Amino acid sequence: MIKKVEFAVPPHLKKFIEGTYLTTEKGYVKIGKRSELGRLIQFVQKVDPYPKRYKLPDNASIIKIQYYDESYSTYFPVEKTKELCELIDAEFRRELICEVRSVHEYSRAVDYTPFVRRFLDRYGIIPDVDIEMETARKIYRDYLAKISRNFHKNF
């Protein structure tokens, strides 16, 4: 059975998920059940004979997710949308760090801003509109600080 869920996310996360997964004809993002996001959705589902509707806030970017489930009686719980949004944000951060790190380590450039900008451009995220450029740079800068602390602690 094909099930659908809609909830509000920040604009950069919506574009990230739409760029990562396949978007169907009515604006729904098709999530496979073997993907990381699909596994998370399958994990938090619960049996509910009367599923609740999520109140969509005004002037927010709404992501529509479509997934497949064999069971007719399980639904995605409304109270788990905040946690799912946090997990999508963690996936975005991990992808940003992995991509920027793969290029930044091999180039001898000190400034990693072009690499962050290239990552945002690949997903169609507009810097300083969808996400602040300094916020995106801070994600990678915090990662570099963490690695540096661990390195100094070991030696």
Side-chain angles (χ1 to χ4, degrees):
M1 177 176 178
I2 295 176
K3 298 183 179 180
K4 299 173 182 175
V5 63
E6 300 178 4
F7 55 95
V9 293
H12 68 281
L13 293 182
K14 179 181 178 185
K15 289 183 178 180
F16 172 72
I17 292 297
E18 287 175 349
T20 304
Y21 298 99
L22 181 65
T23 305
T24 59
E25 64 277 352
K26 293 185 179 178
Y28 282 90
V29 178
K30 187 176 181 181
I31 303 293
K33 65 190 231 180
R34 297 205 190 273
S35 68
E36 185 174 346
L37 189 57
R39 288 181 186 181
L40 292 171
I41 289 173
Q42 295 283 334
F43 182 70
V44 299
Q45 286 189 60
K46 68 178 185 177
V47 176
D48 191 3
Y50 305 107
K52 302 172 192 82
R53 299 284 297 163
Y54 178 69
K55 294 179 185 175
L56 300 173
D58 296 334
N59 299 330
S61 58
I62 307 299
I63 188 166
K64 301 174 182 181
I65 294 179
Q66 174 183 352
Y67 62 97
Y68 179 78
D69 189 22
E70 291 89 7
S71 175
Y72 286 98
S73 60
T74 58
Y75 295 94
F76 183 78
V78 175
E79 56 272 3
K80 295 290 185 179
T81 54
K82 182 179 178 193
E83 287 84 2
L84 186 64
C85 185
E86 290 172 359
L87 291 171
I88 292 171
D89 185 47
E91 186 177 345
F92 171 77
R93 290 171 180 267
R94 185 173 54 247
E95 288 289 325
L96 177 91
I97 289 169
C98 288
E99 185 170 321
V100 173
R101 179 182 176 203
S102 67
V103 180
H104 185 238
E105 281 185 351
Y106 292 111
S107 71
R108 299 197 177 200
V110 177
D111 187 25
Y112 49 85
T113 305
F115 309 131
V116 173
R117 191 174 301 277
R118 187 180 315 153
F119 172 80
L120 296 177
D121 288 342
R122 189 161 60 91
Y123 287 105
I125 301 170
I126 304 167
D128 297 327
V129 175
D130 295 329
I131 185 173
E132 294 292 325
M133 188 62 185
E134 283 302 313
T135 304
R137 289 185 72 238
K138 186 174 182 334
I139 293 170
Y140 187 69
R141 186 172 57 237
D142 289 346
Y143 170 76
L144 290 177
K146 178 183 168 188
I147 295 299
S148 177
R149 278 194 310 267
N150 289 341
F151 180 75
H152 289 301
K153 186 167 65 171
N154 290 337
F155 292 105

